[in-house]
């Protein structure tokens, strides 16, 4: 599959994730334990990857699978980073409101580009750096509320702790993505074997979270396996499948494309979600949304288009050789 097909699918799945999650609510509340959704999504990804790996092993030659402990022990690290990142997110929301948090979340676009350059040693042209900054500006513009609203000034009214935690959250999000790409491209192992390792630890960490929630709640709602499917509807299962498919697509991009492609996919998904919300949830479109979409489209073209399409090549100013021949012939005739 071409990377742009996978990126487009990721955009569709990511944009529908928020819509499906909203539709799964009942009177603005979840009737199911939301912590079970990522756990089941990790189980789904593990089962799909295991089946694909088994199918790959039936063919000849056998896929490459590194089994030494020095390599396997690296795969829990992304889950640990995401675990810390989730806690930092909750801490950030103590100091800033939701709108400010969403706007600050766009910092991960720039931090991903910086870590992409520092840790993976990938060179970006000046045009590509400008495109990444434009993408951050475009997504931020689409989220800024109108100045006539009461919360317009909230972005600059948060305490310094909120900004510091927001920057830390953006760095952790970028670091998790960069490290995952490093793991996927570290060797020529089968993608499905790498996914099995990655999602095995994902299941373990999400299961640990459910058990911890049981102890924190004093088992008031019973152990996690008794409430695992409580309140689930068809829409809830669609949320699980959507989240699982998105994760599988991300792992493919990490293996065969890069983090910048993933950043563009998720950013475009956010804009697509806002556009779809206009029709599904009576969301009122704003001028900022249209301006943000235009800026993001310019950024997309600037990053992926060949340089020759973006910069006009200056003419050399050299005369046509045929005209020089004609001139020389005329002069000889006159003489």
């Amino acid at each position: 599959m071409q990377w742009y097909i996978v990126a487009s699918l990721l955009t569709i799945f990511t944009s529908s994730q928020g819509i499906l999650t909203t539709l799964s609510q009942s009177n603005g509340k979840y009737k199911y334990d939301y912590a079970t959704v990522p756990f089941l999504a990790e189980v789904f990804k593990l089962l799909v990857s295991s089946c694909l790996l088994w199918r790959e092993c039936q063919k000849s030659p056998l896929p490459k699978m590194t089994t030494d402990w020095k390599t396997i022990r690296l795969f829990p690290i992304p889950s640990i980073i995401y675990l810390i990142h989730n806690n930092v997110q909750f801490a950030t929301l103590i100091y800033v409101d939701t709108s400010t948090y969403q706007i600050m979340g766009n910092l991960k676009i720039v931090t991903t580009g910086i870590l992409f350059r520092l840790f993976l040693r990938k060179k970006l042209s000046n045009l590509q750096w400008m495109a990444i900054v434009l993408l951050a500006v475009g997504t931020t513009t689409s989220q800024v509320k109108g100045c006539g609203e009461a919360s317009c000034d909230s972005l600059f009214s948060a305490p310094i702790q909120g900004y510091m935690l927001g920057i830390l959250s953006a760095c952790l999000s970028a670091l998790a993505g960069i490290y995952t790409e490093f793991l996927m491209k570290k060797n020529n192992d089968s993608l499905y074997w790498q996914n099995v390792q990655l999602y095995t630890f994902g299941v373990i960490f999400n299961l640990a979270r459910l058990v911890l929630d049981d102890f924190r709640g004093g088992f008031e709602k019973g152990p996690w396996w008794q409430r695992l499917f409580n309140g689930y509807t068809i829409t809830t299962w669609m949320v699980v499948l959507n989240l699982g498919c998105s994760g599988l697509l991300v792992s493919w991009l990490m293996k065969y494309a890069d983090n910048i492609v993933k950043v563009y996919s998720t950013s475009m998904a956010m804009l697509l979600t806002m556009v779809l919300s206009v029709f599904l949830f009576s969301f009122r479109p704003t001028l900022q949304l249209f301006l943000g979409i235009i800026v993001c489209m310019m950024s997309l073209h600037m990053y992926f288009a060949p340089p020759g399409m973006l910069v006009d090549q200056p003419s050399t100013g050299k005369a046509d050789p045929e005209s020089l021949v004609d001139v020389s012939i005329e002069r000889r005739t006159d003489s």
Side-chain angles (χ1 to χ4, degrees):
M1 293 179 68
Q2 298 293 332
W3 66 264
Y4 51 82
I5 298 177
V6 178
S8 300
L9 289 173
L10 179 60
T11 299
I12 295 172
F13 276 104
T14 305
S15 63
S16 59
Q17 182 67 36
I19 295 173
L20 290 173
T21 303
T22 302
L23 293 175
S24 70
Q25 297 176 354
S26 178
N27 296 324
K29 296 181 180 179
Y30 298 108
K31 287 189 175 182
Y32 56 92
D33 185 356
Y34 188 72
T36 62
V37 172
F39 170 72
L40 291 174
E42 291 295 320
V43 173
F44 170 75
K45 290 187 287 185
L46 179 60
L47 292 175
V48 171
S49 299
S50 299
C51 292
L52 293 174
L53 179 62
W54 175 82
R55 183 179 178 182
E56 196 175 41
C57 289
Q58 305 304 310
K59 301 178 181 179
S60 181
L62 292 175
K64 182 181 178 183
M65 295 186 291
T66 303
T67 57
D68 69 281
W69 174 243
K70 291 183 179 180
T71 301
I72 295 177
R73 68 183 181 181
L74 300 176
F75 281 85
I77 296 179
S79 298
I80 296 174
I81 297 175
Y82 279 120
L83 181 64
I84 299 173
H85 172 253
N86 291 336
N87 288 301
V88 171
Q89 282 183 313
F90 283 107
T92 305
L93 288 170
I94 296 176
Y95 297 99
V96 302
D97 57 28
T98 305
S99 299
T100 303
Y101 174 77
Q102 290 177 343
I103 293 174
M104 291 178 62
N106 296 319
L107 286 173
K108 67 183 178 183
I109 298 174
V110 179
T111 54
T112 298
I114 295 173
L115 296 182
F116 186 76
R117 175 68 181 89
L118 293 178
F119 290 99
L120 298 181
R121 304 295 182 184
K122 300 292 184 68
K123 292 184 178 180
L124 298 174
S125 66
N126 292 334
L127 283 174
Q128 288 177 323
W129 278 115
M130 292 172 62
I132 291 175
V133 174
L134 271 180
L135 180 64
V137 172
T139 52
T140 302
T141 301
S142 66
Q143 294 172 329
V144 173
K145 296 182 179 180
C147 289
E149 300 188 25
S151 59
C152 180
D153 298 329
S154 62
L155 178 61
F156 302 102
S157 61
I160 187 64
Q161 296 94 323
Y163 296 115
M164 297 302 295
L165 288 171
I167 295 173
L168 178 60
S169 176
C171 292
L172 288 172
S173 176
L175 180 62
I178 294 297
Y179 188 85
T180 302
E181 182 180 346
F182 164 76
L183 282 181
M184 291 297 182
K185 295 178 178 177
K186 187 178 187 306
N187 51 41
N188 293 324
D189 280 6
S190 165
L191 169 64
Y192 307 125
W193 168 239
Q194 292 176 321
N195 281 346
V196 166
Q197 299 173 81
L198 196 63
Y199 300 142
T200 297
F201 289 108
V203 169
I204 293 173
F205 278 99
N206 278 277
L207 179 60
R209 178 191 173 184
L210 291 175
V211 174
L212 183 61
D213 288 344
D214 286 343
F215 282 99
R216 285 178 176 176
F219 293 90
E220 291 182 358
K221 299 180 180 179
W224 65 270
W225 60 84
Q226 291 184 0
R227 68 176 191 275
L228 188 59
F229 305 116
N230 288 346
Y232 268 57
T233 62
I234 295 178
T235 308
T236 312
W237 282 111
M238 290 178 66
V239 173
V240 173
L241 293 176
N242 187 292
L243 189 61
C245 292
S246 299
L248 292 171
L249 291 172
V250 167
S251 68
W252 193 97
L253 288 178
M254 294 295 98
K255 181 74 171 180
Y256 300 112
D258 56 50
N259 262 279
I260 304 298
V261 175
K262 188 200 78 170
V263 164
Y264 270 95
S265 297
T266 53
S267 298
M268 294 303 167
M270 181 196 67
L271 296 175
L272 181 58
T273 301
M274 297 176 71
V275 172
L276 293 176
S277 297
V278 174
F279 303 97
L280 296 176
F281 306 113
S282 299
F283 173 76
R284 294 181 60 185
T286 62
L287 176 61
Q288 292 90 330
L289 173 60
F290 291 111
L291 291 176
I293 292 175
I294 293 173
V295 173
C296 289
M297 290 302 176
M298 292 172 59
S299 169
L300 182 68
H301 178 69
M302 184 181 296
Y303 188 90
F304 293 104
M309 294 180 60
L310 301 173
V311 180
D312 292 333
Q313 299 295 331
S315 58
T316 57
K318 294 182 179 181
D320 189 357
E322 295 183 358
S323 63
L324 294 177
V325 172
D326 294 340
V327 171
S328 61
I329 292 176
E330 291 177 358
R331 289 179 178 176
R332 290 178 181 176
T333 304
D334 294 339
S335 59

